[in-house]
Amino acid sequence: MSHTSFYALTMLTAGIGIPVLAALNAALGVRLGSPVAAAAILFVVALLATLAVLALSGPRAVMGAWAAPKHLFLAGTLVAFYVLTITFIAPKFGVGNAVFFVLLGQLISAAIIDHFGLFGAQVSPLSITRACGIGIMAAGVFVTQQV
């Protein structure tokens, strides 16, 4: 299996997990009567899982982590925002609706990040062809929301 195929399959698996995460955490939030408590539990479990992987990676992986530019830590705030909002909104709006709008936001954000090479990302200019592809994907997201 090529690196590209492995990366694509891994990210496809991660993508499959996002709606599952949303549904499970939304159900936990409803069961607990608190989306915030459900999100906190999710983060504790995620922290433990991440620490286990870090332990397997060796101590060099964490050395110097706190010396990184502080704006890079905003990612933690963004994941908290995602988990809190999906846990609160999915039971009221539907997992599909919530995830589809997240997907639309991801398409827009990814195109901007790639076009300008923001945060050290590989530059991939927004060509007409790429913009049309993103537009088709966005239209697909819209079509799926029609009853």
Side-chain angles (χ1 to χ4, degrees):
M1 175 181 288
S2 71
H3 288 307
T4 302
S5 296
F6 174 76
Y7 295 154
L9 184 59
T10 301
M11 294 317 301
L12 178 64
T13 304
I16 290 168
I18 289 173
V20 174
L21 173 158
L24 291 172
N25 224 51
L28 181 61
V30 169
R31 184 175 188 99
L32 297 176
S34 172
V36 176
I41 291 167
L42 177 141
F43 285 117
V44 168
V45 172
L47 175 64
L48 293 173
T50 304
L51 287 174
V53 172
L54 181 62
L56 295 173
S57 301
R60 290 181 52 202
V62 77
M63 294 178 82
W66 297 111
K70 300 307 175 233
H71 74 277
L72 298 179
F73 296 119
L74 177 62
T77 304
L78 294 172
V79 78
F81 177 74
Y82 168 74
V83 169
L84 286 165
T85 57
I86 199 85
T87 303
F88 179 76
I89 291 173
K92 298 169 178 66
F93 192 49
V95 172
N97 287 335
V99 171
F100 288 131
F101 280 98
V102 167
L103 177 58
L104 185 57
Q106 288 175 328
L107 292 171
I108 294 165
S109 179
I112 293 168
I113 290 168
D114 285 352
H115 181 75
F116 293 106
L118 300 176
F119 315 114
Q122 180 179 341
V123 174
S124 182
L126 185 61
S127 65
I128 296 293
T129 304
R130 190 161 186 228
C132 287
I134 292 169
I136 290 168
M137 290 175 73
V141 170
F142 175 77
V143 168
T144 63
Q145 299 311 298
Q146 304 309 302
V147 178

